[in-house]
Amino acid sequence: MNLTVFGFGSVGRVLCRQALDIGIGVVAVADSTGVLVSSNSSFSSEELNTISKAKESGKRLSDISTPTATLLQPLDAVDYIAKNSQSPVVADCSAYDDPSTYLLPALARNVPIVLANKKPLTGTMEDFLKLTERRDFIRLESTVGAGLPTMITLRRILDSGDEIKKVEGQLSGTLGYILSALQKGDKFSDVVVDAKAKGFTEPDPR
């Protein structure tokens, strides 16, 4: 498997490091300025660390020069990895809401997608149905319930013929963290700042 990670912020960078640690390749990383595509089958740990440090220092990917990567636009990058990468998967860790930029093109090229970003699922019903039409090509567990297997559990219940009459619960890991801290008497403003620092919230929690 080789990942292309859209959204190279704190979540995306951790995902890339974890992927390499377990033998999954990272063939491309992207932010709002473009997609850095490895000239090899995958970035090495050293290459990824160099790009990560530059990104953490405030640089955009379009400002990072590396001899082992090429900067492409999203559609061109998806087209490239679909044709040249072995077992490609697109992981969306961004806060982008338009699925037509790279998610739907990936699906059209038989590239599976994995979402940590919930925004593409909250647009039009037409886009939602296009994204979820091929269930084997999309995974979205980490968009709800702090990554618990909520969605797949519900899907298996439905597939077995059972009827779901009611779902009750607090399914947001971020809100769960914040509400637990508020119960202990912590200030709301302090809790939100703390949750953002720990990477639990969106980049802009407002």
Side-chain angles (χ1 to χ4, degrees), residues 11 13 56 58 60 62-63 75 78 84 89 92 98 108 118 122 125-126 138 150 154 157 171:
V11 174
R13 291 194 293 270
E56 288 167 6
R60 302 173 299 177
S62 59
D63 298 326
L75 188 56
V78 169
N84 297 285
V89 173
D92 187 4
D98 184 359
K118 59 180 69 70
T122 62
M125 181 56 71
E126 180 183 3
I138 182 170
T150 307
L154 291 173
I157 290 171
L171 301 178

Side-chain angles (χ1 to χ4, degrees), residues 70-90:
T70 302
L71 187 75
L72 299 177
Q73 290 306 303
L75 188 56
D76 294 328
V78 169
D79 199 41
Y80 177 85
I81 64 164
K83 293 176 181 176
N84 297 285
S85 183
Q86 186 174 7
S87 302
V89 173
V90 166

Side-chain angles (χ1 to χ4, degrees), residues 8-10 13 17 49-59 64:
F8 201 53
S10 56
R13 291 194 293 270
R17 287 196 294 270
N49 284 336
T50 299
I51 298 169
S52 295
K53 287 178 181 177
K55 184 69 176 171
E56 288 167 6
S57 72
K59 286 188 175 181
I64 299 173

Side-chain angles (χ1 to χ4, degrees), residues 84-104:
N84 297 285
S85 183
Q86 186 174 7
S87 302
V89 173
V90 166
D92 187 4
C93 300
S94 73
Y96 205 60
D97 59 0
D98 184 359
S100 67
T101 305
Y102 48 84
L103 295 177
L104 291 177

Side-chain angles (χ1 to χ4, degrees), residues 19 21 33 55-56 58-59 69 90 101 103 112 116 131 143 157 164 167 190 199 202:
D21 285 346
T33 66
K55 184 69 176 171
E56 288 167 6
K59 286 188 175 181
V90 166
T101 305
L103 295 177
L131 285 169
T143 63
I157 290 171
I164 299 173
V167 176
D190 292 339
E202 304 294 336

